[in-house]
Amino acid sequence: MSEDQLMKKVAWRLMPLLIVMFLVSFVDRQNVGFAKLDMVHALHMSEAAYGLGASLFFIGYLLFEIPSTLALHKYGARVWLARIMFTWGAVTILLGFTTSLPMFYVLRFMLGVAEAGFYPGVIYYLTLWFPQAYRTRVLGVFTLGSALANMLGALVGGLLLNLNGTLGLAGWQWVFIATGAPAVLLTLVVMGYLPGSIDEARFLSAAQKIKLNDMMRRDTPANVTRGNPLAALWDLRVLMFAATYMLMSTSLYGVTYWLPTLVKGFGVSSTINGLLNMMPWGLAVLLLLWLPGKLRHDRVVYKAIAVIGLLGLACFASSALLDSNVLRFGALVVGGACITLLYPCFWSLPPKFFQGARAAASIAAINSIGNLGGFFGQNLMPYVGKLTNSNVTPMLVPAACLAVLGVGGLAAVNWQRKRDLAHEEGLQRAVAVQEDGSEDPGAGIDLMLDAHPDHMHMPQQK
């Protein structure tokens, strides 16, 4: 079996369940955007108070992200991911029985605590199974979970609101109860189906396990950082990644939170609102099936971030300036898809620098600090809307974030180009000394071949 065939076998075994898990987690994050349409009036909340309560999820997430991810590293992905899913599903169901603003605040905070460690834990888990050359493609497939969640969650959210009065429950209550139950039910599936490591994988033969372990050892980068996992908190690289991720999170959670409110202003029903909210994420699904597989090398990834960021900037800025609702929504569809496409590009980069427990802690730190963007996004959107007395101008928030990401992507392209040129010049100057003391003129070529990003995947002579 070739390396590509082995990777396909592993992907088909692991990715469907991981995608479903991510889908359920993201539905449980963005359900507050639809519940808000009725819940605010039912419990006599203001837009600002509700936005603050919704964003408390990210504070709980921040505080417990690193400890939870380190626990996953210690106890194994299967056990810890199952624990995470059960607790977040239970808290989501309890949100359906909220009776006051303080109770809403407490449960949203507890939901963040319950879900902490899930996303970075899965990212870390994937780095144990897939070498770098396959990682961007796999992360793109995994990101399908969030795009599908935003798409299906929008449809389900609109339909669940129409259950108002069924079994004596309000529509917003059904939104929480029906979206929390799948997480609880998936707990047993995770415990019985998800392998903890390569050596525990019953779907691989002994020879395939040896080959995959060899691939992973061969892929370990030379500049990898190990050691004290808590050192990730003051690692400059981690903080730079976290700042970048914060801009992405501000954009994504701001848009998913506010888009149902904006579309409601078009004068449509809850069902039509849900259908329209599916469109940006439906486009993202199609693009995620196409783009990530083409991003195998760092410079190409940076170029993709630059182009996607600047295109998203143009779309969200246009949505705030256009007069036509049709054109405005069309721009939002493309802009929303751009945000989602940034995620596989971004998460292919941090695992190049860290390994072991340090990798788990670093990915967790990036994700937890970066997810503060969700806190900012869910507070900035209603604030800008109130300040401007408009449901449209809040889309300037993701526009500003994507502008910074686009410019940063251009700077990274230039940095990587200079780094590649310096590396190639160093290899060209390299020579080897033969046994008779003379220089080997072919050594530089050999070193260049060894350093080529595709060389590890070339057929090797036995």
Side-chain angles (χ1 to χ4, degrees):
M1 178 179 284
S2 68
E3 290 186 356
D4 283 344
Q5 290 173 327
L6 180 57
M7 287 292 92
K8 286 180 181 178
K9 181 175 182 177
V10 173
W12 276 108
R13 179 58 171 76
L14 300 182
M15 297 312 298
L17 177 57
L18 294 175
I19 290 171
V20 171
M21 293 163 63
F22 193 29
L23 185 155
V24 173
S25 77
F26 229 83
V27 168
D28 287 348
R29 288 191 187 190
Q30 58 100 261
N31 54 18
V32 290
F34 275 92
K36 177 176 77 73
L37 301 180
D38 288 347
M39 191 176 181
V40 166
H41 302 294
L43 299 184
H44 309 291
M45 303 176 184
S46 67
E47 287 278 358
Y50 187 90
L52 174 61
S55 65
L56 288 177
F57 166 92
F58 299 99
I59 302 301
Y61 201 88
L62 169 67
L63 295 176
F64 288 86
E65 182 84 312
I66 293 179
S68 181
T69 309
L70 289 175
L72 181 144
H73 175 73
K74 180 177 180 179
Y75 298 112
R78 180 174 65 250
V79 172
W80 201 250
L81 289 176
R83 193 284 303 165
I84 289 173
M85 297 204 68
F86 179 81
T87 51
W88 103 50
V91 175
T92 300
I93 292 172
L94 288 176
L95 275 164
F97 299 94
T98 303
T99 57
S100 65
L101 185 61
M103 183 177 178
F104 180 60
Y105 284 0
V106 170
L107 288 174
R108 283 295 294 179
F109 177 82
M110 291 306 300
L111 183 63
V113 174
E115 195 180 323
F118 172 75
Y119 187 74
V122 174
I123 297 296
Y124 169 68
Y125 178 69
L126 291 176
T127 66
L128 304 179
W129 289 87
F130 296 95
Q132 176 65 29
Y134 298 91
R135 209 166 283 160
T136 306
R137 189 185 315 174
V138 169
L139 289 170
V141 173
F142 179 60
T143 307
L144 283 172
S146 68
L148 288 169
N150 284 323
M151 183 176 67
L152 299 178
L155 174 63
V156 171
L159 294 175
L160 290 173
L161 286 176
N162 289 330
L163 293 179
N164 187 46
T166 303
L167 300 179
L169 298 173
W172 65 267
Q173 291 180 289
W174 279 113
V175 170
F176 288 122
I177 295 170
T179 56
V184 176
L185 296 175
L186 275 171
T187 302
L188 294 176
V189 179
V190 174
M191 285 296 294
Y193 189 79
L194 193 69
S197 66
I198 294 174
D199 293 331
E200 296 176 14
R202 289 177 290 181
F203 68 95
L204 294 176
S205 67
Q208 291 169 344
K209 291 177 184 179
I210 293 172
K211 184 171 186 175
L212 184 52
N213 278 316
D214 287 342
M215 290 171 62
M216 298 307 302
R217 281 191 291 268
R218 186 179 63 192
D219 192 58
T220 302
N223 62 340
V224 68
T225 301
R226 298 179 185 269
N228 179 14
L230 295 181
L233 293 172
W234 52 83
D235 190 313
L236 181 60
R237 295 169 299 179
V238 170
L239 296 178
M240 290 181 64
F241 278 125
T244 302
Y245 195 59
M246 190 180 298
L247 293 170
M248 293 164 53
S249 297
T250 301
S251 303
L252 180 64
Y253 291 109
V255 171
T256 57
Y257 176 75
W258 194 253
L259 191 57
T261 300
L262 189 154
V263 174
K264 185 179 180 181
F266 295 170
V268 299
S269 67
S270 295
T271 301
I272 298 300
N273 193 336
L275 290 171
L276 291 176
N277 270 267
M278 291 176 63
M279 296 180 67
W281 322 116
L283 176 60
V285 168
L286 296 177
L287 293 175
L288 284 169
L289 292 171
W290 166 73
L291 180 63
K294 301 181 181 299
L295 307 179
R296 286 199 169 211
H297 310 307
D298 290 349
R299 200 192 304 184
V300 180
V301 172
Y302 293 136
K303 286 181 180 178
I305 291 174
V307 172
I308 293 169
L310 296 176
L311 177 60
L313 160 66
C315 290
F316 284 113
S318 299
S319 73
L321 300 174
L322 293 168
D323 293 328
S324 167
N325 284 338
V326 174
L327 294 177
R328 175 180 295 125
F329 186 73
L332 289 172
V333 168
V334 178
C338 286
I339 298 174
T340 305
L341 286 175
L342 289 171
Y343 278 75
C345 298
F346 175 83
W347 281 116
S348 69
L349 300 173
K352 292 174 63 68
F353 300 94
F354 311 101
Q355 287 284 305
R358 183 65 179 273
S362 298
I363 293 172
I366 293 166
N367 191 61
S368 59
I369 297 171
N371 263 302
L372 279 175
F375 177 86
F376 297 138
Q378 292 185 353
N379 283 283
L380 280 172
M381 302 299 273
Y383 174 76
V384 173
K386 181 180 180 180
L387 190 67
T388 59
N389 196 29
S390 169
N391 288 337
V392 176
T393 50
M395 290 303 169
L396 292 176
V397 173
C401 294
L402 291 174
V404 177
L405 290 170
V407 173
L410 291 175
V413 170
N414 186 53
W415 171 79
Q416 187 65 43
R417 182 182 61 81
K418 291 180 179 179
R419 188 181 181 191
D420 291 344
L421 287 174
H423 185 58
E424 290 172 6
E425 290 173 358
L427 291 175
Q428 289 171 352
R429 290 193 298 268
V431 294
V433 178
Q434 303 181 82
E435 292 184 3
D436 60 1
S438 63
E439 293 182 345
D440 178 5
I445 297 175
D446 292 338
L447 287 170
M448 290 179 68
L449 283 173
D450 290 340
H452 191 279
D454 286 333
H455 179 64
M456 61 161 48
H457 307 292
M458 294 178 183
Q460 303 295 317
Q461 290 185 349
K462 296 184 178 179

